[in-house]
Amino acid sequence: MSRLASRNHCPLCSAPTEPAFRPFCSRGCRDRDMLNWMGEGYRIPGPRASSDEKSETGLDRDDSRG
């Protein structure tokens, strides 16, 4: 598919885009995409962090422990 054609279709459902929600076709697809980002549905694969790296960056920290 050419680049121009992909800009005219929603990346989630492939329906034609609407100018108000571009690059999506509707508010529903726009919101679904945002929820994927917020819920970590989109990830970039890579090596697992060691426990030393996690403690330095604060990743996987349990915030419930005061």
Side-chain angles (χ1 to χ4, degrees):
M1 187 184 306
S2 72
R3 251 181 182 268
L4 184 58
S6 66
R7 289 184 192 162
N8 293 325
H9 290 88
C10 178
L12 294 178
C13 71
S14 300
T17 60
E18 288 292 326
F21 304 108
R22 200 165 192 160
F24 305 102
C25 65
S26 66
R27 178 181 221 152
C29 280
R30 183 185 69 182
D31 291 348
R32 194 173 313 123
D33 183 68
M34 179 59 77
L35 288 171
N36 279 330
W37 283 108
M38 292 171 58
E40 298 181 13
Y42 297 135
R43 300 179 190 190
I44 299 172
R48 294 186 61 84
S50 70
S51 57
D52 290 338
E53 289 175 311
K54 288 180 185 178
S55 62
E56 290 173 9
T57 62
L59 297 176
D60 297 334
R61 185 178 64 209
D62 183 4
D63 290 333
S64 64
R65 292 183 280 163

Short mmCIF file of all heavy atoms in Angstrom, two decimals:
data_model
loop_
_atom_site.label_atom_id
_atom_site.label_comp_id
_atom_site.label_asym_id
_atom_site.label_seq_id
_atom_site.Cartn_x
_atom_site.Cartn_y
_atom_site.Cartn_z
N MET A 1 0.84 -1.17 0.00
CA MET A 1 0.00 0.00 0.00
C MET A 1 0.89 1.24 0.00
O MET A 1 1.89 1.29 0.70
CB MET A 1 -0.89 -0.03 1.25
CG MET A 1 -1.90 1.07 1.25
SD MET A 1 -2.90 1.17 2.77
CE MET A 1 -3.57 -0.44 2.93
N SER A 2 0.54 2.24 -0.77
CA SER A 2 1.35 3.45 -0.85
C SER A 2 1.17 4.28 0.41
O SER A 2 0.20 4.13 1.15
CB SER A 2 0.97 4.27 -2.08
OG SER A 2 -0.29 4.86 -1.87
N ARG A 3 2.11 5.19 0.66
CA ARG A 3 2.02 6.05 1.83
C ARG A 3 0.76 6.90 1.81
O ARG A 3 0.12 7.07 2.82
CB ARG A 3 3.24 6.97 1.86
CG ARG A 3 4.16 6.64 2.92
CD ARG A 3 5.34 7.59 2.93
NE ARG A 3 6.20 7.15 3.97
CZ ARG A 3 6.14 7.59 5.21
NH1 ARG A 3 5.31 8.53 5.53
NH2 ARG A 3 6.92 7.09 6.12
N LEU A 4 0.41 7.44 0.65
CA LEU A 4 -0.77 8.28 0.54
C LEU A 4 -2.03 7.49 0.88
O LEU A 4 -2.89 7.97 1.61
CB LEU A 4 -0.89 8.86 -0.87
CG LEU A 4 -2.04 9.83 -1.10
CD1 LEU A 4 -1.94 11.01 -0.14
CD2 LEU A 4 -2.02 10.33 -2.53
N ALA A 5 -2.12 6.28 0.42
CA ALA A 5 -3.30 5.45 0.70
C ALA A 5 -3.40 5.15 2.19
O ALA A 5 -4.49 5.13 2.75
CB ALA A 5 -3.25 4.16 -0.09
N SER A 6 -2.28 4.91 2.87
CA SER A 6 -2.33 4.59 4.29
C SER A 6 -2.77 5.79 5.12
O SER A 6 -3.34 5.64 6.18
CB SER A 6 -0.99 4.07 4.78
OG SER A 6 -0.01 5.08 4.72
N ARG A 7 -2.56 7.00 4.65
CA ARG A 7 -3.00 8.19 5.37
C ARG A 7 -4.51 8.38 5.29
O ARG A 7 -5.09 9.11 6.07
CB ARG A 7 -2.32 9.44 4.80
CG ARG A 7 -0.87 9.51 5.12
CD ARG A 7 -0.30 10.81 4.63
NE ARG A 7 1.14 10.78 4.69
CZ ARG A 7 1.91 11.59 4.02
NH1 ARG A 7 1.40 12.50 3.23
NH2 ARG A 7 3.21 11.49 4.13
N ASN A 8 -5.13 7.73 4.34
CA ASN A 8 -6.57 7.89 4.15
C ASN A 8 -7.39 6.81 4.84
O ASN A 8 -8.60 6.79 4.70
CB ASN A 8 -6.90 7.91 2.66
CG ASN A 8 -6.34 9.15 1.99
OD1 ASN A 8 -6.28 10.21 2.59
ND2 ASN A 8 -5.90 9.01 0.76
N HIS A 9 -6.72 5.92 5.55
CA HIS A 9 -7.43 4.83 6.25
C HIS A 9 -6.97 4.76 7.70
O HIS A 9 -5.80 4.95 8.01
CB HIS A 9 -7.17 3.50 5.55
CG HIS A 9 -7.84 3.42 4.22
ND1 HIS A 9 -7.25 3.87 3.07
CD2 HIS A 9 -9.06 2.99 3.88
CE1 HIS A 9 -8.07 3.69 2.06
NE2 HIS A 9 -9.20 3.16 2.53
N CYS A 10 -7.92 4.48 8.55
CA CYS A 10 -7.67 4.36 9.98
C CYS A 10 -6.65 3.25 10.26
O CYS A 10 -6.80 2.13 9.74
CB CYS A 10 -8.99 4.07 10.69
SG CYS A 10 -8.85 3.85 12.46
N PRO A 11 -5.62 3.51 11.07
CA PRO A 11 -4.63 2.48 11.37
C PRO A 11 -5.17 1.33 12.22
O PRO A 11 -4.56 0.27 12.28
CB PRO A 11 -3.53 3.23 12.11
CG PRO A 11 -4.17 4.46 12.63
CD PRO A 11 -5.29 4.79 11.69
N LEU A 12 -6.32 1.52 12.86
CA LEU A 12 -6.88 0.46 13.71
C LEU A 12 -7.89 -0.41 12.98
O LEU A 12 -7.87 -1.62 13.13
CB LEU A 12 -7.52 1.06 14.96
CG LEU A 12 -6.56 1.74 15.93
CD1 LEU A 12 -7.32 2.33 17.09
CD2 LEU A 12 -5.51 0.78 16.41
N CYS A 13 -8.78 0.21 12.20
CA CYS A 13 -9.85 -0.58 11.60
C CYS A 13 -9.89 -0.48 10.07
O CYS A 13 -10.73 -1.12 9.44
CB CYS A 13 -11.20 -0.17 12.18
SG CYS A 13 -11.75 1.45 11.63
N SER A 14 -9.04 0.32 9.49
CA SER A 14 -8.91 0.50 8.03
C SER A 14 -10.09 1.22 7.38
O SER A 14 -10.18 1.26 6.16
CB SER A 14 -8.68 -0.84 7.33
OG SER A 14 -7.49 -1.41 7.81
N ALA A 15 -10.98 1.80 8.16
CA ALA A 15 -12.07 2.60 7.60
C ALA A 15 -11.50 3.93 7.10
O ALA A 15 -10.43 4.35 7.54
CB ALA A 15 -13.13 2.85 8.67
N PRO A 16 -12.19 4.60 6.20
CA PRO A 16 -11.72 5.91 5.73
C PRO A 16 -11.62 6.89 6.90
O PRO A 16 -12.44 6.87 7.82
CB PRO A 16 -12.80 6.36 4.75
CG PRO A 16 -13.49 5.11 4.34
CD PRO A 16 -13.40 4.17 5.51
N THR A 17 -10.59 7.73 6.88
CA THR A 17 -10.39 8.70 7.97
C THR A 17 -11.38 9.84 7.88
O THR A 17 -11.91 10.14 6.81
CB THR A 17 -8.97 9.27 7.95
OG1 THR A 17 -8.76 9.94 6.71
CG2 THR A 17 -7.93 8.21 8.16
N GLU A 18 -11.62 10.46 9.02
CA GLU A 18 -12.44 11.66 9.12
C GLU A 18 -11.51 12.80 9.51
O GLU A 18 -10.69 12.64 10.41
CB GLU A 18 -13.53 11.50 10.19
CG GLU A 18 -14.63 10.56 9.80
CD GLU A 18 -15.49 11.11 8.67
OE1 GLU A 18 -15.70 12.33 8.59
OE2 GLU A 18 -15.94 10.29 7.85
N PRO A 19 -11.63 13.96 8.87
CA PRO A 19 -10.72 15.08 9.17
C PRO A 19 -10.68 15.45 10.66
O PRO A 19 -9.62 15.77 11.19
CB PRO A 19 -11.28 16.23 8.34
CG PRO A 19 -12.00 15.56 7.21
CD PRO A 19 -12.55 14.28 7.78
N ALA A 20 -11.78 15.38 11.35
CA ALA A 20 -11.83 15.76 12.76
C ALA A 20 -11.04 14.81 13.66
O ALA A 20 -10.62 15.19 14.76
CB ALA A 20 -13.27 15.84 13.24
N PHE A 21 -10.84 13.57 13.22
CA PHE A 21 -10.18 12.56 14.06
C PHE A 21 -8.90 12.03 13.43
O PHE A 21 -8.35 11.04 13.89
CB PHE A 21 -11.13 11.39 14.32
CG PHE A 21 -12.41 11.83 14.95
CD1 PHE A 21 -13.59 11.83 14.22
CD2 PHE A 21 -12.45 12.27 16.26
CE1 PHE A 21 -14.78 12.24 14.78
CE2 PHE A 21 -13.63 12.68 16.84
CZ PHE A 21 -14.80 12.68 16.10
N ARG A 22 -8.43 12.65 12.38
CA ARG A 22 -7.28 12.16 11.63
C ARG A 22 -6.10 11.86 12.53
O ARG A 22 -5.83 12.66 13.42
CB ARG A 22 -6.90 13.20 10.59
CG ARG A 22 -6.08 12.61 9.51
CD ARG A 22 -6.01 13.50 8.34
NE ARG A 22 -5.43 12.72 7.27
CZ ARG A 22 -5.54 12.99 6.03
NH1 ARG A 22 -6.20 14.05 5.66
NH2 ARG A 22 -4.98 12.24 5.13
N PRO A 23 -5.43 10.78 12.44
CA PRO A 23 -5.45 9.79 11.37
C PRO A 23 -6.48 8.69 11.56
O PRO A 23 -6.44 7.68 10.87
CB PRO A 23 -4.04 9.22 11.41
CG PRO A 23 -3.70 9.23 12.87
CD PRO A 23 -4.35 10.50 13.39
N PHE A 24 -7.38 8.86 12.51
CA PHE A 24 -8.38 7.83 12.79
C PHE A 24 -9.70 8.13 12.09
O PHE A 24 -9.90 9.21 11.57
CB PHE A 24 -8.58 7.69 14.30
CG PHE A 24 -7.30 7.42 15.02
CD1 PHE A 24 -6.65 8.42 15.71
CD2 PHE A 24 -6.71 6.18 14.97
CE1 PHE A 24 -5.44 8.19 16.35
CE2 PHE A 24 -5.50 5.92 15.60
CZ PHE A 24 -4.87 6.94 16.28
N CYS A 25 -10.60 7.17 12.13
CA CYS A 25 -11.90 7.33 11.47
C CYS A 25 -12.96 7.88 12.40
O CYS A 25 -13.96 8.42 11.96
CB CYS A 25 -12.36 5.99 10.90
SG CYS A 25 -12.70 4.77 12.18
N SER A 26 -12.75 7.73 13.71
CA SER A 26 -13.77 8.13 14.67
C SER A 26 -13.14 8.40 16.02
O SER A 26 -11.98 8.08 16.27
CB SER A 26 -14.81 7.02 14.82
OG SER A 26 -14.19 5.88 15.40
N ARG A 27 -13.95 8.97 16.90
CA ARG A 27 -13.50 9.20 18.27
C ARG A 27 -13.21 7.87 18.97
O ARG A 27 -12.29 7.76 19.77
CB ARG A 27 -14.58 9.97 19.03
CG ARG A 27 -14.20 10.21 20.45
CD ARG A 27 -15.30 10.94 21.19
NE ARG A 27 -14.67 11.92 22.04
CZ ARG A 27 -15.21 13.04 22.42
NH1 ARG A 27 -16.40 13.36 22.01
NH2 ARG A 27 -14.56 13.86 23.20
N GLY A 28 -14.00 6.85 18.65
CA GLY A 28 -13.80 5.53 19.26
C GLY A 28 -12.42 4.96 18.96
O GLY A 28 -11.74 4.47 19.85
N CYS A 29 -12.01 5.02 17.69
CA CYS A 29 -10.69 4.49 17.32
C CYS A 29 -9.58 5.36 17.92
O CYS A 29 -8.56 4.85 18.37
CB CYS A 29 -10.55 4.40 15.81
SG CYS A 29 -11.33 2.93 15.13
N ARG A 30 -9.80 6.67 17.96
CA ARG A 30 -8.81 7.57 18.56
C ARG A 30 -8.64 7.24 20.04
O ARG A 30 -7.51 7.11 20.54
CB ARG A 30 -9.25 9.02 18.40
CG ARG A 30 -8.23 10.01 18.95
CD ARG A 30 -8.75 11.41 18.88
NE ARG A 30 -9.85 11.56 19.83
CZ ARG A 30 -10.55 12.66 19.99
NH1 ARG A 30 -10.32 13.70 19.22
NH2 ARG A 30 -11.51 12.72 20.88
N ASP A 31 -9.75 7.05 20.74
CA ASP A 31 -9.69 6.73 22.17
C ASP A 31 -9.10 5.35 22.41
O ASP A 31 -8.36 5.14 23.37
CB ASP A 31 -11.08 6.83 22.80
CG ASP A 31 -11.59 8.27 22.86
OD1 ASP A 31 -10.79 9.21 22.63
OD2 ASP A 31 -12.79 8.45 23.13
N ARG A 32 -9.43 4.38 21.57
CA ARG A 32 -8.89 3.03 21.69
C ARG A 32 -7.36 3.06 21.56
O ARG A 32 -6.64 2.39 22.30
CB ARG A 32 -9.50 2.12 20.63
CG ARG A 32 -9.25 0.66 20.89
CD ARG A 32 -10.01 -0.25 19.92
NE ARG A 32 -11.41 0.15 19.78
CZ ARG A 32 -11.98 0.46 18.61
NH1 ARG A 32 -11.30 0.41 17.49
NH2 ARG A 32 -13.24 0.81 18.56
N ASP A 33 -6.86 3.88 20.63
CA ASP A 33 -5.41 4.00 20.45
C ASP A 33 -4.78 4.61 21.70
O ASP A 33 -3.74 4.13 22.17
CB ASP A 33 -5.11 4.86 19.22
CG ASP A 33 -3.63 4.95 18.94
OD1 ASP A 33 -3.03 3.92 18.57
OD2 ASP A 33 -3.07 6.06 19.11
N MET A 34 -5.41 5.63 22.26
CA MET A 34 -4.88 6.26 23.48
C MET A 34 -4.85 5.26 24.63
O MET A 34 -3.89 5.19 25.39
CB MET A 34 -5.71 7.47 23.86
CG MET A 34 -5.23 8.16 25.13
SD MET A 34 -3.53 8.76 25.05
CE MET A 34 -3.75 10.22 24.09
N LEU A 35 -5.91 4.45 24.75
CA LEU A 35 -5.93 3.44 25.81
C LEU A 35 -4.83 2.40 25.62
O LEU A 35 -4.27 1.91 26.60
CB LEU A 35 -7.30 2.76 25.86
CG LEU A 35 -8.42 3.65 26.43
CD1 LEU A 35 -9.77 2.96 26.24
CD2 LEU A 35 -8.17 3.97 27.88
N ASN A 36 -4.51 2.06 24.37
CA ASN A 36 -3.40 1.14 24.12
C ASN A 36 -2.09 1.72 24.60
O ASN A 36 -1.26 1.02 25.19
CB ASN A 36 -3.31 0.79 22.64
CG ASN A 36 -4.27 -0.28 22.23
OD1 ASN A 36 -4.63 -1.14 23.02
ND2 ASN A 36 -4.71 -0.25 20.98
N TRP A 37 -1.88 3.02 24.38
CA TRP A 37 -0.65 3.67 24.86
C TRP A 37 -0.63 3.71 26.38
O TRP A 37 0.37 3.40 27.01
CB TRP A 37 -0.53 5.09 24.31
CG TRP A 37 -0.08 5.13 22.89
CD1 TRP A 37 -0.84 5.45 21.81
CD2 TRP A 37 1.22 4.83 22.38
NE1 TRP A 37 -0.09 5.36 20.66
CE2 TRP A 37 1.18 4.99 20.99
CE3 TRP A 37 2.42 4.43 22.97
CZ2 TRP A 37 2.29 4.77 20.18
CZ3 TRP A 37 3.52 4.22 22.16
CH2 TRP A 37 3.45 4.39 20.79
N MET A 38 -1.74 4.10 26.97
CA MET A 38 -1.79 4.24 28.43
C MET A 38 -1.71 2.90 29.14
O MET A 38 -1.17 2.82 30.24
CB MET A 38 -3.08 4.97 28.83
CG MET A 38 -3.08 6.42 28.40
SD MET A 38 -4.66 7.22 28.61
CE MET A 38 -4.96 7.02 30.34
N GLY A 39 -2.24 1.86 28.54
CA GLY A 39 -2.22 0.53 29.15
C GLY A 39 -1.01 -0.28 28.74
O GLY A 39 -0.97 -1.48 28.98
N GLU A 40 -0.02 0.36 28.14
CA GLU A 40 1.21 -0.29 27.68
C GLU A 40 0.94 -1.40 26.69
O GLU A 40 1.64 -2.40 26.64
CB GLU A 40 2.02 -0.79 28.88
CG GLU A 40 2.46 0.32 29.81
CD GLU A 40 3.28 -0.17 30.98
OE1 GLU A 40 3.73 -1.34 30.97
OE2 GLU A 40 3.50 0.63 31.89
N GLY A 41 -0.11 -1.22 25.87
CA GLY A 41 -0.41 -2.19 24.82
C GLY A 41 0.60 -2.12 23.68
O GLY A 41 0.79 -3.09 22.96
N TYR A 42 1.24 -0.97 23.54
CA TYR A 42 2.28 -0.80 22.53
C TYR A 42 3.62 -0.87 23.25
O TYR A 42 3.88 -0.11 24.17
CB TYR A 42 2.15 0.55 21.83
CG TYR A 42 0.88 0.75 21.06
CD1 TYR A 42 0.17 1.93 21.16
CD2 TYR A 42 0.39 -0.24 20.22
CE1 TYR A 42 -0.99 2.13 20.43
CE2 TYR A 42 -0.77 -0.05 19.50
CZ TYR A 42 -1.45 1.14 19.61
OH TYR A 42 -2.60 1.34 18.89
N ARG A 43 4.44 -1.79 22.84
CA ARG A 43 5.76 -1.96 23.47
C ARG A 43 6.82 -2.19 22.42
O ARG A 43 6.54 -2.74 21.35
CB ARG A 43 5.77 -3.16 24.41
CG ARG A 43 4.79 -3.04 25.53
CD ARG A 43 4.84 -4.25 26.39
NE ARG A 43 3.72 -4.23 27.32
CZ ARG A 43 3.60 -5.03 28.33
NH1 ARG A 43 4.51 -5.95 28.52
NH2 ARG A 43 2.57 -4.96 29.12
N ILE A 44 8.02 -1.81 22.73
CA ILE A 44 9.16 -2.06 21.85
C ILE A 44 9.95 -3.19 22.49
O ILE A 44 10.38 -3.07 23.65
CB ILE A 44 10.04 -0.82 21.70
CG1 ILE A 44 9.21 0.29 21.07
CG2 ILE A 44 11.27 -1.12 20.87
CD1 ILE A 44 9.90 1.63 21.03
N PRO A 45 10.13 -4.30 21.78
CA PRO A 45 10.85 -5.43 22.37
C PRO A 45 12.32 -5.08 22.64
O PRO A 45 12.93 -4.32 21.90
CB PRO A 45 10.73 -6.54 21.34
CG PRO A 45 10.31 -5.89 20.08
CD PRO A 45 9.70 -4.57 20.42
N GLY A 46 12.84 -5.62 23.68
CA GLY A 46 14.24 -5.41 24.02
C GLY A 46 14.64 -6.35 25.13
O GLY A 46 13.82 -7.12 25.64
N PRO A 47 15.89 -6.29 25.51
CA PRO A 47 16.35 -7.18 26.58
C PRO A 47 15.73 -6.78 27.91
O PRO A 47 15.43 -5.61 28.15
CB PRO A 47 17.86 -6.97 26.60
CG PRO A 47 18.06 -5.61 26.02
CD PRO A 47 16.95 -5.42 25.03
N ARG A 48 15.52 -7.76 28.78
CA ARG A 48 14.97 -7.49 30.10
C ARG A 48 16.01 -6.72 30.92
O ARG A 48 17.20 -6.96 30.82
CB ARG A 48 14.62 -8.79 30.80
CG ARG A 48 13.49 -9.52 30.11
CD ARG A 48 13.05 -10.74 30.88
NE ARG A 48 12.55 -10.47 32.21
CZ ARG A 48 11.29 -10.11 32.49
NH1 ARG A 48 10.43 -9.94 31.52
NH2 ARG A 48 10.92 -9.92 33.73
N ALA A 49 15.54 -5.79 31.73
CA ALA A 49 16.42 -5.00 32.58
C ALA A 49 16.86 -5.85 33.77
O ALA A 49 16.08 -6.64 34.31
CB ALA A 49 15.70 -3.76 33.07
N SER A 50 18.11 -5.68 34.17
CA SER A 50 18.59 -6.39 35.36
C SER A 50 17.98 -5.73 36.60
O SER A 50 17.46 -4.62 36.54
CB SER A 50 20.11 -6.32 35.43
OG SER A 50 20.52 -5.00 35.73
N SER A 51 18.04 -6.40 37.74
CA SER A 51 17.46 -5.84 38.95
C SER A 51 18.19 -4.56 39.36
O SER A 51 17.59 -3.66 39.94
CB SER A 51 17.46 -6.86 40.08
OG SER A 51 18.78 -7.31 40.32
N ASP A 52 19.49 -4.44 39.06
CA ASP A 52 20.22 -3.21 39.36
C ASP A 52 19.68 -2.04 38.55
O ASP A 52 19.50 -0.94 39.05
CB ASP A 52 21.71 -3.37 39.06
CG ASP A 52 22.40 -4.29 40.03
OD1 ASP A 52 21.87 -4.48 41.14
OD2 ASP A 52 23.46 -4.83 39.67
N GLU A 53 19.40 -2.28 37.26
CA GLU A 53 18.86 -1.23 36.40
C GLU A 53 17.47 -0.81 36.87
O GLU A 53 17.15 0.37 36.86
CB GLU A 53 18.77 -1.70 34.95
CG GLU A 53 20.11 -1.84 34.27
CD GLU A 53 19.97 -2.43 32.89
OE1 GLU A 53 19.29 -3.46 32.73
OE2 GLU A 53 20.55 -1.83 31.95
N LYS A 54 16.66 -1.75 37.30
CA LYS A 54 15.32 -1.43 37.78
C LYS A 54 15.37 -0.53 39.00
O LYS A 54 14.62 0.43 39.12
CB LYS A 54 14.54 -2.70 38.10
CG LYS A 54 14.13 -3.48 36.88
CD LYS A 54 13.38 -4.72 37.29
CE LYS A 54 13.05 -5.58 36.11
NZ LYS A 54 12.37 -6.81 36.51
N SER A 55 16.29 -0.81 39.94
CA SER A 55 16.35 0.01 41.15
C SER A 55 16.89 1.40 40.84
O SER A 55 16.49 2.37 41.47
CB SER A 55 17.20 -0.68 42.21
OG SER A 55 18.53 -0.82 41.76
N GLU A 56 17.78 1.53 39.87
CA GLU A 56 18.33 2.84 39.50
C GLU A 56 17.29 3.71 38.81
O GLU A 56 17.26 4.92 39.01
CB GLU A 56 19.53 2.67 38.58
CG GLU A 56 20.75 2.09 39.27
CD GLU A 56 21.86 1.77 38.28
OE1 GLU A 56 21.76 2.16 37.11
OE2 GLU A 56 22.83 1.12 38.70
N THR A 57 16.43 3.12 38.00
CA THR A 57 15.47 3.89 37.21
C THR A 57 14.12 4.00 37.89
O THR A 57 13.30 4.81 37.49
CB THR A 57 15.25 3.25 35.83
OG1 THR A 57 14.70 1.95 36.00
CG2 THR A 57 16.53 3.19 35.04
N GLY A 58 13.85 3.19 38.91
CA GLY A 58 12.55 3.20 39.57
C GLY A 58 11.52 2.34 38.86
O GLY A 58 10.35 2.35 39.21
N LEU A 59 11.93 1.59 37.84
CA LEU A 59 11.01 0.72 37.12
C LEU A 59 10.55 -0.41 38.03
O LEU A 59 11.31 -0.90 38.86
CB LEU A 59 11.67 0.14 35.87
CG LEU A 59 12.07 1.16 34.81
CD1 LEU A 59 12.80 0.45 33.68
CD2 LEU A 59 10.85 1.89 34.27
N ASP A 60 9.30 -0.80 37.87
CA ASP A 60 8.72 -1.89 38.64
C ASP A 60 8.74 -1.63 40.14
O ASP A 60 8.73 -2.55 40.94
CB ASP A 60 9.40 -3.24 38.33
CG ASP A 60 9.22 -3.65 36.89
OD1 ASP A 60 8.22 -3.22 36.28
OD2 ASP A 60 10.06 -4.38 36.37
N ARG A 61 8.75 -0.39 40.53
CA ARG A 61 8.73 -0.03 41.96
C ARG A 61 7.31 -0.20 42.48
O ARG A 61 6.34 0.17 41.83
CB ARG A 61 9.18 1.41 42.11
CG ARG A 61 9.31 1.84 43.56
CD ARG A 61 9.80 3.25 43.68
NE ARG A 61 8.78 4.13 43.09
CZ ARG A 61 9.05 5.29 42.53
NH1 ARG A 61 10.29 5.71 42.43
NH2 ARG A 61 8.08 6.04 42.03
N ASP A 62 7.17 -0.72 43.66
CA ASP A 62 5.86 -0.88 44.28
C ASP A 62 5.57 0.39 45.08
O ASP A 62 6.10 0.60 46.16
CB ASP A 62 5.85 -2.11 45.19
CG ASP A 62 4.50 -2.36 45.81
OD1 ASP A 62 3.54 -1.64 45.47
OD2 ASP A 62 4.39 -3.30 46.62
N ASP A 63 4.71 1.27 44.53
CA ASP A 63 4.41 2.55 45.17
C ASP A 63 3.53 2.40 46.42
O ASP A 63 3.36 3.35 47.16
CB ASP A 63 3.72 3.50 44.19
CG ASP A 63 4.68 3.99 43.11
OD1 ASP A 63 5.90 4.02 43.39
OD2 ASP A 63 4.22 4.32 42.01
N SER A 64 2.96 1.22 46.65
CA SER A 64 2.09 1.04 47.80
C SER A 64 2.89 0.95 49.10
O SER A 64 2.35 1.09 50.18
CB SER A 64 1.24 -0.21 47.63
OG SER A 64 2.05 -1.37 47.58
N ARG A 65 4.18 0.70 48.99
CA ARG A 65 5.03 0.63 50.19
C ARG A 65 5.49 2.04 50.53
O ARG A 65 6.41 2.55 49.98
CB ARG A 65 6.26 -0.25 49.95
CG ARG A 65 5.94 -1.69 49.77
CD ARG A 65 7.21 -2.48 49.63
NE ARG A 65 7.70 -2.35 48.26
CZ ARG A 65 8.92 -2.63 47.86
NH1 ARG A 65 9.83 -3.00 48.72
NH2 ARG A 65 9.28 -2.51 46.61
N GLY A 66 4.95 2.75 51.41
CA GLY A 66 5.23 4.09 51.81
C GLY A 66 6.57 4.55 51.74
O GLY A 66 7.49 4.95 51.52
#
